[in-house]
Amino acid sequence: MLHSSTSFEIARSSGKCAATGRDLSPGEPCIAALCERAADDGFERLDFSVEAWSAGSRPERLFSFWKTTAPHPNEKKRVFVDDEMLRNLFERLADDDRPQRQAFRFVLGLVLMRKRLLRFIGRDESRGVETWTLQWKGAAEGDVVTLVDPRLSDEDVRAVSDQLSEILSGDLE
């Protein structure tokens, strides 16, 4: 089981371009980059101005990126994430067996099921690990995806969900 005190600590948007150090104006289009941390199995979020990104600035250990807007300091939480970006993150984590990554993928799977993009087909515990069988909306019969249930506590699911919201949203305070 994972413990939220040691997992999923990802910084919010800094409001600064990671390449230039320039403050990003609230509402300004920017690129959010999800990068693998060198020290552990976690992720960190870095933001880049569109100009710096277009000029070729890329962080080391880039895992994924998406276009967003710089946060407004007093705006309420709102998370708008492209479904394809969520699917891409989910699929890119498929072969990663590190516990933090499995937990992150599991919560992404729950989000995708809630959005009705993935459908639960069944579960298998024959190998000592609970594995869920899922199917993408509109996929051909038999075209399935597997998802390992890392047996997260409710607290762990909340911690991963909170961090998922943090890294995918540009408007959290």
Side-chain angles (χ1 to χ4, degrees):
M1 182 174 307
L2 297 170
H3 299 287
S4 60
S5 61
T6 60
S7 303
F8 319 114
E9 295 178 12
I10 302 171
R12 296 177 172 144
S13 173
S14 67
K16 293 186 180 289
C17 175
T20 66
R22 177 178 71 78
D23 287 337
L24 299 169
S25 300
E28 176 183 348
C30 61
I31 305 298
L34 185 62
C35 306
E36 298 175 304
R37 290 192 302 235
D40 58 28
D41 295 336
F43 293 108
E44 75 177 315
R45 176 189 167 148
L46 298 173
D47 294 309
F48 292 82
S49 69
V50 172
E51 298 79 19
W53 190 264
S54 296
S57 292
R58 301 290 189 276
E60 291 185 31
R61 298 175 303 282
L62 179 64
F63 186 79
S64 186
F65 64 92
W66 60 96
K67 189 172 183 179
T68 187
T69 57
H72 290 275
N74 298 321
E75 196 171 38
K76 288 187 170 189
K77 291 182 182 184
R78 291 188 321 182
V79 180
F80 298 105
V81 181
D82 180 76
D83 292 343
E84 279 304 309
M85 200 277 286
L86 288 176
R87 182 177 177 153
N88 179 275
L89 282 174
F90 181 81
E91 289 177 341
R92 293 208 42 213
L93 290 166
D95 296 323
D96 200 321
D97 60 358
R98 292 174 281 188
Q100 284 185 339
R101 304 293 175 90
Q102 284 186 350
F104 194 77
R105 185 171 189 263
F106 181 75
V107 173
L108 274 172
L110 295 176
V111 169
L112 290 164
M113 282 189 285
R114 184 172 185 200
K115 292 173 77 73
R116 300 180 192 267
L117 297 173
L118 274 176
R119 183 172 55 100
F120 181 82
I121 303 294
R123 67 183 74 202
D124 177 24
E125 294 186 54
S126 63
R127 291 173 268 146
V129 174
E130 185 173 335
T131 304
W132 293 7
T133 303
L134 309 169
Q135 186 174 35
W136 289 108
K137 177 181 177 181
E141 192 68 31
D143 187 12
V144 296
V145 175
T146 58
L147 179 63
V148 172
D149 180 353
R151 305 272 188 197
L152 300 175
S153 68
D154 289 345
E155 181 180 320
D156 290 332
V157 170
R158 275 191 300 277
V160 176
S161 297
D162 289 347
Q163 289 303 316
L164 182 58
S165 292
E166 289 287 324
I167 63 171
L168 297 178
S169 176
D171 15 33
L172 292 180
E173 296 178 49

